[in-house]
Amino acid sequence: MSEAKPTRRHHLGYGRWTPFWFLAPAVFALLVVGIYPTLFALATSFRRYNITRRSDMLDGFPFIGFDNYLTVLSDRTFWDSLLLTGQFYLTVVPIQIVLGMAIALMLHRPGWGFLRTLTRVSLVVPLATTYAVVGLIGRLIFNRDFGVANQFMGWVGISSSDWLGNPTGAFIAIVVMDIWQWTPFVALIFLAGLSMVPVDIEEAARLETKSHWALLRYVQLPYLLPGLTAVLILRSADVLKLFDMVFVMTRGGPGAATDLVSIYVQRVGFKVFDLGLASAQAVMLLVLTIVLSRIYIRIFYREIEA
Amino acid sequence: MSRVNARSLLHAFGLLVVLAFALFPFYWMVSSSLKDQTDLLASPPVWFFRPTLSNYQAIFADQAVTGAVLNSLIVASATTFLSVLLGTPAAYALARFEFRGKADLWFWFISNRMVSPIVLALPVYVLSRQVGLLNTYWVLILVYLTFNLPIVVWICTDQFRSIPRDLEQSARLEGATQFDIFWRIYLPLGIPGVAVSAIFAFIFSWNELLYALVLITSQSLKTAPVVATNFMSGYELPWGKIMATGTVIVLPVTLFALVVSRHMVRGLTMGATK
């Protein structure tokens, strides 16, 4: 890229405005469908704007400063849903990392070539499954009367329960479905990391030590750390977004047992139709997402940014 | 020697466990879709039964389901086409031109991918109602660009960078314009990347639920995931039809995903891990 100094541009066969024409359609599209609605939400978040309340409309959706933000900040349910989202993250991600690592190591280990390939390819299935359909499958598997989860429990001597009907059971059920869907993602990232270890270094280390642990700790781990960071950040953005599967499985219930932040914000917006309040919540989520994506970009694309 | 064999058997056993874990919910959905109502409601569930295609006959006779699959097909194809149409020239510019703010622009494209639909759903709902786009294919086709354009731009920028520059230089000596170079050289040679990004865009759009749920209220325009979800109301749930619909939704995208399985991780991490 470095040969393309602005002063030599005429040698490169394109004018000052050429890049603009190539970029304009995509940039314009994203401005219209992404940025404009975001700005609209930002503007709405400073107004009293409930479209089902006639008085708001008659008053011309009055400007009320930071009132909506103060309401959100003092709203217990919002904080509870954010806290629950955090709990969900802290439950699923460590399990996915441990299982993902174990699966990656098994897939990396030589031997059983065909079975290994088959297993690796099968990991794509959970990743591609429509999130809403994962929720449908979850409702069947965790059904109280004819769900296979209770059958499995029976095999190990645990009595049946109404998974989706009690708070702990429902939380466990969405955790299990998320682990099913996203562990393959973590495993494939770690597998990519393992395959980055130069073969001769790994061979030499295997001659040095019989300990798998030492091999993992001193040889493979450095190659796994970027993937681990990617997992931690991307999964947190995903968990903030998580809606489809939980909405289909539990609608946030029973009570508020699975009321993750996206489920709650959706309800305030589309059941209560308080746009001002919902926009304030959305803006706060967006700020959180922007912080996450800046961190992600900082870590992974540093060399390009420099 | 026996120790080695024991380890090797353990390895195979572990792989089989992973295989079963990865495929079980999918298998359970497909097998449930082949059960009649008696077998479906058996408690404890039955693993061996006489398979029947009656659930598939029921959903293919159901206008709501066939219409929804068609709607999904239209929306996902159109948004995929549009994101390739808009995204590939942008990717070409980011891959081959130098200009101020290029890195920032690229990051901006990429970071759109992380924005939660929940943030945009409400303002898009209000705005599209104002301009009369609510309850049209267009609103979904356009709003899906927010996650499809980043993936197309990212994968294609990477692909275009890998195309040797000599080809373009000789073309320029023969008087080709920049557009010719993009259209005649980069696009044809970059087809593998373009195809992978198109498949990703199609999968993401096909699977999307939240926008489709809130932006489309008219029965005849609902997409497949929404219709499948709507079966979930009422007391006596038609589990056979639900699982058959689920299978019809999941099967085509799973096949697509298997085609791009080698690129799956790169696509999902936007290339952070190579």
Side-chain angles (χ1 to χ4, degrees), chain A residues 53-113:
Chain A
R53 216 161 36 208
R54 246 189 110 65
S55 60
D56 285 6
M57 201 164 12
L58 294 176
D59 295 345
F61 303 118
F63 182 83
I64 51 169
F66 282 93
D67 276 16
N68 285 322
Y69 288 91
L70 293 177
T71 311
V72 175
L73 290 175
S74 60
D75 175 8
R76 269 296 293 276
T77 320
F78 181 73
W79 286 110
D80 285 348
S81 69
L82 212 52
L83 199 68
L84 189 74
T85 311
Q87 261 171 17
F88 183 80
Y89 177 82
L90 290 176
T91 311
V92 293
V93 173
I95 299 176
Q96 285 164 347
I97 288 174
V98 171
L99 288 179
M101 179 71 88
I103 295 172
L105 287 170
M106 275 193 261
L107 291 175
H108 184 66
R109 191 188 155 95
W112 302 102

Side-chain angles (χ1 to χ4, degrees), chain B residues 173-224:
Chain B
L173 288 177
E174 287 164 28
T177 65
Q178 277 301 325
F179 183 78
D180 287 334
I181 292 171
F182 164 67
W183 188 250
R184 301 250 162 89
I185 297 177
Y186 278 84
L187 213 48
L189 290 178
I191 277 295
V194 175
V196 168
S197 67
I199 289 176
F200 271 112
F202 188 90
I203 294 176
F204 291 146
S205 315
W206 179 269
N207 283 350
E208 206 282 330
L209 176 74
L210 178 58
Y211 288 126
L213 193 68
V214 298
L215 299 176
I216 303 286
T217 49
S218 137
Q219 276 306 329
S220 61
L221 291 178
K222 285 192 192 302
T223 59

Side-chain angles (χ1 to χ4, degrees), chain B residues 8-226:
Chain B
S8 176
L9 282 178
L10 196 68
H11 185 203
F13 178 72
L15 289 170
L16 284 171
V17 170
V18 175
L19 188 67
F21 168 75
L23 295 181
F24 179 75
F26 182 81
Y27 160 78
W28 198 248
M29 169 179 72
V30 176
S31 83
S32 298
S33 75
L34 298 171
K35 289 178 181 174
D36 62 24
Q37 190 73 355
T38 322
D39 286 333
L40 270 166
L41 300 184
S43 175
V46 288
W47 289 66
F48 301 99
F49 56 91
R50 272 256 300 270
T52 162
L53 286 176
S54 62
N55 294 316
Y56 289 92
Q57 280 161 355
I59 62 163
F60 284 123
D62 185 342
Q63 294 265 316
V65 177
T66 51
V69 170
L70 191 67
N71 289 337
S72 278
L73 200 62
I74 292 171
V75 168
S77 311
T79 192
T80 301
F81 174 74
L82 199 58
S83 45
V84 169
L85 187 73
L86 299 173
T88 47
Y92 175 64
L94 290 166
R96 280 300 181 243
F97 297 141
E98 291 302 322
F99 51 90
R100 227 154 36 121
K102 181 167 121 165
D104 288 326
L105 188 65
W106 192 73
F107 293 137
W108 177 67
F109 270 115
I110 302 305
S111 55
N112 268 288
R113 178 83 188 89
M114 286 174 103
V115 173
S116 167
I118 217 76
V119 174
L120 287 179
L122 198 63
V124 167
Y125 174 83
V126 175
L127 293 169
S128 58
R129 201 170 63 157
Q130 281 170 6
V131 295
L133 278 177
L134 210 61
N135 276 320
T136 61
Y137 289 138
W138 276 110
V139 68
L140 292 184
I141 293 169
L142 291 173
V143 82
Y144 289 174
L145 290 178
T146 54
F147 49 82
N148 287 336
L149 267 177
I151 193 92
V152 171
V153 167
W154 180 74
I155 293 181
C156 293
T157 306
D158 213 39
Q159 173 79 49
F160 290 155
R161 276 195 189 129
S162 71
I163 293 171
R165 290 204 107 143
D166 351 346
L167 290 166
E168 122 186 34
Q169 261 134 22
S170 55
R172 212 163 43 235
L173 288 177
E174 287 164 28
T177 65
Q178 277 301 325
F179 183 78
D180 287 334
I181 292 171
F182 164 67
W183 188 250
R184 301 250 162 89
I185 297 177
Y186 278 84
L187 213 48
L189 290 178
I191 277 295
V194 175
V196 168
S197 67
I199 289 176
F200 271 112
F202 188 90
I203 294 176
F204 291 146
S205 315
W206 179 269
N207 283 350
E208 206 282 330
L209 176 74
L210 178 58
Y211 288 126
L213 193 68
V214 298
L215 299 176
I216 303 286
T217 49
S218 137
Q219 276 306 329
S220 61
L221 291 178
K222 285 192 192 302
T223 59
V226 177

